[in-house]
Amino acid sequence: MEIVRNLINTDLGLIKQFRDDTTSMLHDLDYDDDFIFKIRLILDELIINSYKHGNNKEFDKIIEVMLCFDGDLAVIKVKDEGDGIIYSKERDLMSDHGRGIQLVYTLADSLYVKDNTIVVMINTNEEDEDI
């Protein structure tokens, strides 16, 4: 089991470094390139959402990221210091807001939103997804 937990100041450079370090770690652990791309895309969408909307680009506010990779399951949790996330699965696809979370919803096997925290679960074995 691999667990990564990081507290990131609301800074694009620090966010990029965390994302790059995480994808490098997954490469070193021999995860499939498609899976790594999915994780990278989910991290980008969730952390940038926290950067822009949750923490309003305020450097002193923290984005908490936790990742757990355990065999067939990966869990990603992102929490910011914002007032909370308003998300509905039924939404106007032409809306200016919510496209990033909608993208994450389509990539993930499960997505949970509560207050200012999003938790995503992903099956690491593509061939088992239809079970």
Side-chain angles (χ1 to χ4, degrees):
M1 177 186 301
E2 297 294 326
I3 298 174
V4 176
R5 181 174 180 263
N6 204 337
L7 304 175
I8 308 167
N9 283 86
T10 306
D11 176 82
L12 288 176
L14 296 173
I15 291 167
K16 181 182 181 308
Q17 184 64 50
F18 173 77
R19 187 217 43 222
D20 292 347
D21 290 348
T22 301
T23 54
S24 291
M25 176 196 74
L26 294 175
H27 278 292
D28 292 345
L29 293 170
D30 291 325
Y31 278 95
D32 177 78
D33 285 339
D34 291 337
F35 175 74
I36 294 171
F37 179 79
K38 185 186 287 190
I39 295 296
R40 180 183 169 153
L41 186 55
I42 289 171
L43 284 174
D44 280 346
E45 293 299 330
L46 294 182
I47 296 173
I48 293 302
N49 192 55
S50 289
Y51 166 82
K52 285 183 183 177
H53 304 294
N55 290 353
N56 296 312
K57 302 178 186 179
E58 295 177 35
F59 179 82
D60 291 335
K61 291 188 175 183
I62 300 296
I63 301 167
E64 177 183 351
V65 183
M66 189 277 302
L67 303 113
C68 179
F69 301 95
D70 185 19
D72 296 338
L73 183 66
V75 178
I76 300 172
K77 174 184 159 192
V78 177
K79 180 179 181 181
D80 58 48
E81 294 188 47
D83 293 330
I85 302 159
I86 299 170
Y87 175 72
S88 171
K89 293 174 189 166
E90 293 81 34
R91 58 183 284 294
D92 177 7
L93 296 176
M94 303 306 281
S95 172
D96 289 351
H97 302 289
R99 287 186 304 270
I101 294 177
Q102 187 64 35
L103 177 62
V104 171
Y105 176 77
T106 61
L107 292 170
D109 293 304
S110 300
L111 180 135
Y112 302 95
V113 177
K114 183 168 190 249
D115 301 326
N116 59 342
T117 303
I118 295 181
V119 177
V120 175
M121 289 187 264
I122 306 149
N123 184 340
T124 61
N125 294 319
E126 293 290 326
E127 63 269 7
D128 294 339
E129 286 185 358
D130 294 331
I131 295 177

